[in-house]
């Protein structure tokens, strides 16, 4: 609100293609705690009471890939939403980006997606290759 009136911010926000959320996970904090306790010599509730994990295994579980970017064109009271999205998983187009609107779908380069004034971002967790 500006002076008691709603307004829309038009700021550009840079967003990553790969998003690592590891530092925000509970398991990551346990691993750090175990490592600190190990450096300090442990104790009765030392490292053995914490999960046996490495930061690299936690990092793999917390890696997310950008799948879609929603853009709102217009003002606070009206406008239109469009989406930039990757092709369906498992399809020939799964690595390509598409612009989608009410009556238009077209393939676009990622450089256009990266310049988009994002309103909402959608990420999907990457699965470990076994």
């Amino acid at each position: 609100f500006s002076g008691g009136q709603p307004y829309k911010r038009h700021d550009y926000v840079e967003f990553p293609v790969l998003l690592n959320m590891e530092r925000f996970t509970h398991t990551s904090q346990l691993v750090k705690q175990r490592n600190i306790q190990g450096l300090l010599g442990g104790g009765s509730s030392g490292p053995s009471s914490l999960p046996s994990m490495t930061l690299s295994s936690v990092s793999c579980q917390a890696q997310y890939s950008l799948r879609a970017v929603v853009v709102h064109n217009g003002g606070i009271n009206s406008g239109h939403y469009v989406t930039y999205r990757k092709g369906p998983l498992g399809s020939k187009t799964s690595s390509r980006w598409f612009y989608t609107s009410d009556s238009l779908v077209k393939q676009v380069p990622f450089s256009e997606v990266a310049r988009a004034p994002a309103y909402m971002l959608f990420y999907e967790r990457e699965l470990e290759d076994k």
Side-chain angles (χ1 to χ4, degrees), residues 2-118:
S2 175
Q5 298 297 312
Y7 71 99
K8 179 181 175 185
R9 296 190 61 149
H10 295 275
D11 302 348
Y12 171 78
V13 177
E14 190 173 341
F15 49 89
V17 174
L18 293 175
L19 181 63
N20 188 317
M21 298 295 289
E22 174 265 322
R23 68 183 177 144
F24 301 106
T25 64
H26 177 69
T27 307
S28 169
Q29 299 308 310
L30 290 176
V31 170
K32 289 176 187 174
Q33 181 182 351
R34 184 189 71 186
N35 291 341
I36 290 170
Q37 286 178 350
L39 290 173
L40 298 176
S44 59
S45 63
S48 62
S49 65
L50 297 172
S52 176
M53 288 192 130
T54 64
L55 281 175
S56 62
S57 67
V58 173
S59 184
C60 289
Q61 297 171 11
Q63 187 79 11
Y64 291 79
S65 179
L66 183 65
R67 293 296 303 171
V69 178
V70 176
V71 175
H72 179 258
N73 297 312
I76 190 82
N77 295 316
S78 65
H80 181 70
Y81 291 95
V82 297
T83 303
Y84 291 95
R85 62 179 298 270
K86 284 184 106 172
L89 292 173
S91 73
K92 293 178 184 178
T93 62
S94 64
S95 63
R96 298 182 193 153
W97 283 92
F98 295 89
Y99 168 92
T100 61
S101 186
D102 292 343
S103 60
L104 176 66
V105 176
K106 65 178 180 176
Q107 187 173 333
V108 295
F110 179 73
S111 59
E112 181 176 327
V113 178
R115 289 190 311 267

